[in-house]
Amino acid sequence: MSLAILLGVFFLSLVIGLPVAVTLGLSSLCYLLLEGIPLVVIPQKMFAGMDVFVLLCIPGFILAGNLMNGGGITPRIVRFANAMVGWMRGGLGLTNVAGSMLFGGISGTAVADAASIGGMMIPGMIRAGYTPAFSAAVTAASSTVGPIIPPSMPMIIVGALSGISVGKMFIAGAIPGIMMGLAMMVTCYIIAVKRGFPHQPWQGFGELARSFTGAFWALAMTGLIIGGLLSGIATPTETAVIASVYAFFVGCFVYRELPLRKVPKIIIDSAVTAAAILALVGLANVFGWILVSERIPQMISDGVLSITDNKYVVILLINLVLLVVGMFMETIAALIILFVPLLTLATNVGVDPIHFAVFAVLNLMIGLTTPPVGICMFICANIAKAPVTTVIRALAPFLLTNIMILFLVSYIPALSTWLPSLME
């Protein structure tokens, strides 16, 4: 009965639109009251969930991304991407995807990517003759590359939940992220040719060199992060701190577009964002503790394995579950609630934990562009001032492309396990 109340309050709260953190806390509170469990469990389990060293990555990478973005990174990345691919048919769309791939190696979040790249690219694409729906769709779809290419906020959460190496997961996402970006560029090009979208003249190697020079310090931050992790010189937490210091130095003294007076506000905004994420992690840990105490993970695993123990069928079922969940639930909350139960199921049929982590995150990233709760889709539709229904139709080819990449990554483990194996 208490478990039914827990799940009922949880889903009802989601339906009426309460914040996910409030939903988790309220449903957990109802369960504890019904079971007569002392409410002191809530702060105890919240603290236990947040008292994980690797979670220090979150404020570090958020601060680094905000400092770089405030220091003029976005226009430089867009200019470099435009110099590389803007001359092709549908060049601004290709620039949009390429810019997201480059920006994703700094921000680590899809929402930041959609807002930053979209705020610049969507109005420019519309002025150049692209439809508002297509401009919003390509921006929303490409923004999901950000949390796959390292660094990645969802993978930090996964590491805190499961004990899987965050550094290895960061590296594991590199090849799938690049594949996802290139596949979307091909899709964008095919659509552009079919619809006769415009392209720009080739700007010459001089502009390519100048734009690369302008974006070099921004791009070097990705190299700093990946290089530190691959070499083993720094842990993910140390890398986040180094990236923040680097971002401050580049924004203030290299690009000189980050006034010192703005730094305190950026630090406060980053702290607020990180605190909201950590509060969500803490409350979700309470909810997760209740699920474990009720043996829900084991019940899910036993239930699926009673139907089939075929590894490939189980992977398919996990993908279908996560795709559906991603349509309705915020990414971090979905990971906190479902990752451990599904990881148990996956490892029981022989799936490598790092491989599972990558395709699980990729699943939920696709959910950011699907109705009814696709936040990146809504952000981009709002920027483009386009009806959501038209954006959904324009998104369809990109969703199909991303799902194809998802199944390649799901069924070819080497795509996500080869690079981490080099770290051993």
Side-chain angles (χ1 to χ4, degrees), residues 252-300:
C252 289
F253 303 110
V254 179
Y255 289 158
R256 297 182 180 178
E257 293 188 20
L258 180 63
L260 288 175
R261 67 179 183 276
K262 290 187 177 180
V263 173
K265 184 178 186 304
I266 290 175
I267 293 174
I268 292 171
D269 290 344
S270 301
V272 170
T273 301
I277 293 174
L278 290 174
L280 175 59
V281 170
L283 288 166
N285 192 59
V286 179
F287 191 88
W289 172 78
I290 293 172
L291 294 182
V292 171
S293 67
E294 291 282 351
R295 300 187 73 255
I296 298 301
Q298 193 61 45
M299 289 168 59
I300 292 173

Side-chain angles (χ1 to χ4, degrees), residues 162-354:
S162 63
I164 301 173
S165 167
V166 173
K168 288 186 177 182
M169 282 192 293
F170 276 5
I171 300 305
I175 292 176
I178 292 170
M179 287 175 57
M180 194 173 173
L182 293 176
M184 280 191 281
M185 292 179 76
V186 171
T187 303
C188 182
Y189 178 77
I190 293 171
I191 294 172
V193 170
K194 182 178 179 180
R195 299 186 184 178
F197 285 147
H199 62 94
Q200 305 169 72
W202 164 245
Q203 300 178 51
F205 287 104
E207 168 60 15
L208 182 62
R210 287 190 295 272
S211 63
F212 174 75
T213 302
F216 172 78
W217 293 102
L219 301 175
M221 185 170 171
T222 303
L224 178 71
I225 293 169
I226 296 176
L229 294 173
L230 270 179
S231 64
I233 294 174
T235 66
T237 302
E238 292 165 345
T239 302
V241 175
I242 293 169
S244 296
V245 175
Y246 175 90
F248 171 76
F249 178 81
V250 170
C252 289
F253 303 110
V254 179
Y255 289 158
R256 297 182 180 178
E257 293 188 20
L258 180 63
L260 288 175
R261 67 179 183 276
K262 290 187 177 180
V263 173
K265 184 178 186 304
I266 290 175
I267 293 174
I268 292 171
D269 290 344
S270 301
V272 170
T273 301
I277 293 174
L278 290 174
L280 175 59
V281 170
L283 288 166
N285 192 59
V286 179
F287 191 88
W289 172 78
I290 293 172
L291 294 182
V292 171
S293 67
E294 291 282 351
R295 300 187 73 255
I296 298 301
Q298 193 61 45
M299 289 168 59
I300 292 173
S301 179
D302 292 345
V304 174
L305 293 177
S306 68
I307 300 172
T308 178
D309 59 358
N310 183 289
K311 174 180 177 180
Y312 301 103
V313 176
V314 170
I315 289 175
L316 175 63
L317 292 174
I318 290 173
N319 278 327
L320 293 176
V321 167
L322 288 174
L323 284 172
V324 172
V325 168
M327 295 171 65
F328 297 95
M329 191 179 294
E330 192 270 344
T331 301
I332 293 177
L335 282 172
I336 292 172
I337 294 169
L338 290 174
F339 185 82
V340 173
L342 293 180
L343 175 63
T344 302
L345 173 60
T347 53
N348 281 342
V349 294
V351 177
D352 182 88
I354 291 177

Side-chain angles (χ1 to χ4, degrees), residues 145-168:
V145 176
I148 306 300
I149 296 175
S152 166
M153 293 301 152
M155 289 185 182
I156 295 171
I157 299 295
V158 165
L161 289 170
S162 63
I164 301 173
S165 167
V166 173
K168 288 186 177 182

